Amino acid sequence: MFVNPPRAIQRLTITYFLVFCFGCTPRVDFARAGIPTALPHKNSELGSIYKKEAETLNTDNNPEIGLALSGGGIRSAMYCIGAMKALYDLDDGKFFETIDVISSVSGGGYASYWLYSHEINDPGLGFGEAALSDEHYGENLRNLAAKSDMYPWERMLAEIFHSRSHTVQDYEDQIDYTFGFSSPKEERLLLSDLRKLVKERQVPIPVINTTISATKQSSRVPRNFEFSPTHFGNQEVGFENHESAEEFRMSKAVAISGAAFAPLLYQEYKNWKNETYPEKWPLTDGGHNENLGALALIRRGVKNIFIIDAEHSPKYSFGAYDQLKLNLKELGLHLHIKNIEEWKKVGYNDRANLLPCSIATGTISPINNSNPSESITVVYLKMSLTKEMENKIHEIANSADGFKDVLDDFKNCSLWNSSEQASQLSEDDFCLKTIGTYSKWLNKDSKFRFLGRVLKSAQYSFPQTSTIDQEFQYCDQMSAFLALGYLQGKKLWAEIN
């Protein structure tokens, strides 16, 4: 029935071979480039560096609400789409229309591209309606399911016989094929296409985060390199306004943000400052520096930040959280989320000792300053199979129907089916049955489950499937992540209220 775990091992082998063939990623020495290695504290005001965005927001105040979509490949994309559906549903899209900025990394960028592509393809509706409303969501998911084999291992293997530039373009094409509308390059969504919609407050500002490939001695914060409808760059290397920049495809920015295998997929962007070094910035996956997409929101002074963390973390070590803390320390800021700090001490994992819940809240504040007015509120959602959810799944498994006919439920449930046919199955129960069916097979029945004990990078259990897997061949695999994101997104909504 399922063949994805061994495919993940095949992909890993192919990747190592391709990296060997194509060589290493160029790196920048920030000290030589004149980038400061010790960064002063930056206050939370929207300063001149974000002047264009401040004008776009048409307000003198900092943005109120920001949404951060983490890296994690196609797994993160499906989980984030499910979570965004929950946020959209629970007040008929009203909260969604209050979001000021959506910042994404890697797989979170796939989900962002999917969302904004639908906005452009069906203009005139409220933000999120074309992608997430009940009228359109079922059809959108069926189209997504038909194309969710985004990057099968056979395609990776074929790249051995092509140049790196071909591989880079093929990766972007597959992102557009799966999450866009399979358009020719010349017809794809440009970041500049969103500028007018952002200015009219029809859509939030999209920020796509990448990383400047730099030496290990370089500071962490300057490595983050942003793409948005108003500018490229960052606070340390400077910004280039879009008026003077080339027309830039959103799919290309997302492909750079998801360039996890840097030697194969890195891209270069010209140094517009016309200085002798470097001539071009080598850009790779945003997760190589900060995998949550939160840094871009924090630097804009967004007052309330909602983080969706779908990073691969079988032992729930919260590596992306720690990575963000290091970045913020360079800026003189302190991130503290009490529950996460306590969970890290306990040592939870995705098998025997599940997380007690998926939501945690905390603050970001200047170091040595306890003034609450200068703090940012953070609501953190961690993709996880929690104890509470597993107990509910056990109840369903022990019921008369158990997990029978889950694929028929998939066709009949209103969450996925936009037809007028009434469904007798509640959305929550459908989601739990979908999660239970797939997780039971993968975590308990699969003959491939032992691979995670042998090869760390191939750890493959629900929901912590390896990011190496960029292909969801079966509807139950895709729907399990959508369902998990949906149920846990509803928990996120409870924190908002």
Side-chain angles (χ1 to χ4, degrees):
M1 179 180 179
F2 298 92
V3 295
N4 283 321
R7 284 173 179 254
I9 303 301
Q10 290 170 325
R11 291 189 189 97
L12 183 65
T13 304
I14 293 166
T15 299
Y16 287 154
F17 179 76
L18 290 172
V19 169
F20 175 79
C21 290
F22 283 111
C24 299
T25 312
R27 294 183 179 272
V28 174
D29 183 342
F30 281 156
R32 183 182 168 196
I35 305 300
T37 55
L39 299 175
H41 167 63
K42 308 290 190 299
N43 62 35
S44 61
E45 294 295 324
L46 277 172
S48 59
I49 57 160
Y50 293 126
K51 186 176 180 181
K52 291 285 184 182
E53 279 194 359
E55 292 172 354
T56 298
L57 290 172
N58 197 25
T59 177
D60 295 330
N61 299 318
N62 290 1
E64 286 285 339
I65 297 176
L67 182 63
L69 309 178
S70 85
I74 198 170
R75 174 195 67 241
S76 174
M78 300 305 180
Y79 182 84
C80 287
I81 289 172
M84 288 193 293
K85 170 62 174 171
L87 292 177
Y88 182 88
D89 272 2
L90 294 174
D91 71 341
D92 297 321
K94 294 177 183 177
F95 169 76
F96 226 68
E97 292 185 353
T98 67
I99 299 173
D100 294 305
V101 188
I102 296 181
S103 176
S104 63
V105 177
S106 193
Y110 301 167
S112 178
Y113 185 57
W114 178 83
L115 177 65
Y116 282 95
S117 292
H118 281 88
E119 290 300 309
I120 290 291
N121 196 56
D122 199 354
L125 303 178
F127 179 61
E129 185 176 349
L132 299 167
S133 68
D134 288 342
E135 181 181 356
H136 301 286
Y137 189 61
E139 181 181 356
N140 291 341
L141 285 195
R142 287 192 293 275
N143 291 335
L144 190 58
K147 302 184 294 182
S148 61
D149 56 337
M150 187 179 86
Y151 220 84
W153 72 269
E154 297 94 336
R155 198 177 193 97
M156 292 186 183
L157 182 61
E159 293 305 325
I160 293 175
F161 306 101
H162 296 290
S163 65
R164 192 183 65 81
S165 62
H166 180 279
T167 303
V168 165
Q169 187 58 58
D170 188 56
Y171 178 46
E172 179 191 339
D173 292 344
Q174 289 305 107
I175 291 172
D176 180 69
Y177 162 76
T178 302
F179 296 98
F181 290 96
S182 302
S183 306
K185 283 195 303 181
E186 299 76 14
E187 300 176 11
R188 290 179 192 168
L189 171 62
L190 301 175
L191 285 169
S192 58
D193 292 337
L194 296 170
R195 196 180 309 149
K196 181 180 178 181
L197 296 179
V198 168
K199 191 171 184 178
E200 294 174 351
R201 299 305 300 272
Q202 294 185 38
V203 301
I205 298 170
V207 180
I208 302 165
N209 298 277
T210 68
T211 299
I212 299 176
S213 182
T215 61
K216 293 183 179 180
Q217 292 74 28
S218 301
S219 295
R220 298 183 61 83
V221 172
R223 298 180 195 174
N224 188 67
F225 190 100
E226 301 176 0
F227 290 94
S228 85
T230 57
H231 62 260
F232 304 153
N234 69 32
Q235 201 162 350
E236 284 71 42
V237 305
F239 290 96
E240 179 180 28
N241 293 332
H242 272 285
E243 285 79 1
S244 60
E246 63 180 285
E247 291 292 293
F248 210 85
R249 298 184 300 276
M250 187 174 182
S251 58
K252 182 175 182 178
V254 171
I256 299 173
S257 181
F261 306 131
L264 300 178
L265 298 173
Y266 80 90
Q267 297 191 46
E268 294 182 316
Y269 191 78
K270 63 181 179 181
N271 182 349
W272 58 89
K273 301 173 80 172
N274 295 320
E275 297 177 353
T276 56
Y277 179 84
E279 293 183 3
K280 296 181 179 179
W281 301 111
L283 303 178
T284 66
D285 193 306
H288 292 159
N289 184 59
E290 198 272 294
N291 203 33
L292 296 175
L295 184 61
L297 301 177
I298 295 162
R299 302 194 79 161
R300 285 164 172 78
V302 177
K303 297 175 183 177
N304 300 281
I305 297 176
F306 299 90
I307 297 174
I308 300 178
D309 178 4
E311 181 179 69
H312 182 236
S313 184
K315 296 183 178 179
Y316 296 108
S317 59
F318 289 91
Y321 171 82
D322 288 339
Q323 196 175 36
L324 178 60
K325 287 186 73 171
L326 286 174
N327 281 314
L328 294 182
K329 187 176 181 180
E330 288 195 16
L331 293 174
L333 299 173
H334 177 63
L335 167 64
H336 181 75
I337 300 178
K338 182 179 179 181
N339 281 357
I340 291 180
E341 299 291 349
E342 292 178 352
W343 293 341
K344 288 167 60 182
K345 293 177 183 177
V346 172
Y348 292 98
N349 58 65
D350 67 344
R351 291 186 181 275
N353 192 20
L354 302 177
L355 283 177
C357 64
S358 57
I359 301 288
T361 60
T363 59
I364 298 169
S365 56
I367 295 174
N368 301 323
N369 187 342
S370 58
N371 186 352
S373 65
E374 295 191 23
S375 296
I376 293 172
T377 300
V378 177
V379 182
Y380 197 108
L381 170 59
K382 178 60 184 174
M383 181 190 70
S384 55
L385 194 60
T386 63
K387 291 179 180 178
E388 177 188 13
M389 188 173 292
E390 189 176 63
N391 289 337
K392 291 181 178 179
I393 290 172
H394 282 317
E395 290 178 11
I396 293 177
N398 295 327
S399 67
D401 292 335
F403 292 132
K404 295 178 181 177
D405 302 323
V406 70
L407 295 182
D408 289 336
D409 293 338
F410 180 93
K411 297 174 185 177
N412 294 330
C413 181
S414 61
L415 177 64
W416 319 109
N417 192 341
S418 58
S419 71
E420 296 181 359
Q421 179 182 2
S423 172
Q424 300 301 313
L425 187 68
S426 75
E427 291 173 347
D428 283 11
D429 284 348
F430 166 72
C431 288
L432 288 168
K433 290 185 76 170
T434 302
I435 294 167
T437 301
Y438 185 68
S439 64
K440 179 179 181 296
W441 178 85
L442 190 61
N443 296 354
K444 296 180 180 180
D445 299 340
S446 169
K447 64 183 179 180
F448 301 111
R449 65 188 183 277
F450 72 92
L451 290 174
R453 304 170 190 170
V454 179
L455 191 60
K456 182 178 179 181
S457 58
Q459 288 183 346
Y460 207 96
S461 59
F462 185 83
Q464 299 298 335
T465 57
S466 175
T467 308
I468 295 169
D469 188 2
Q470 290 291 303
E471 171 191 17
F472 280 7
Q473 279 199 322
Y474 301 99
C475 59
D476 49 357
Q477 183 184 23
M478 170 182 150
S479 63
F481 284 98
L482 289 164
L484 183 63
Y486 182 79
L487 288 181
Q488 296 188 329
K490 292 176 71 172
K491 299 283 187 181
L492 189 64
W493 174 252
E495 292 296 329
I496 293 172
N497 286 325

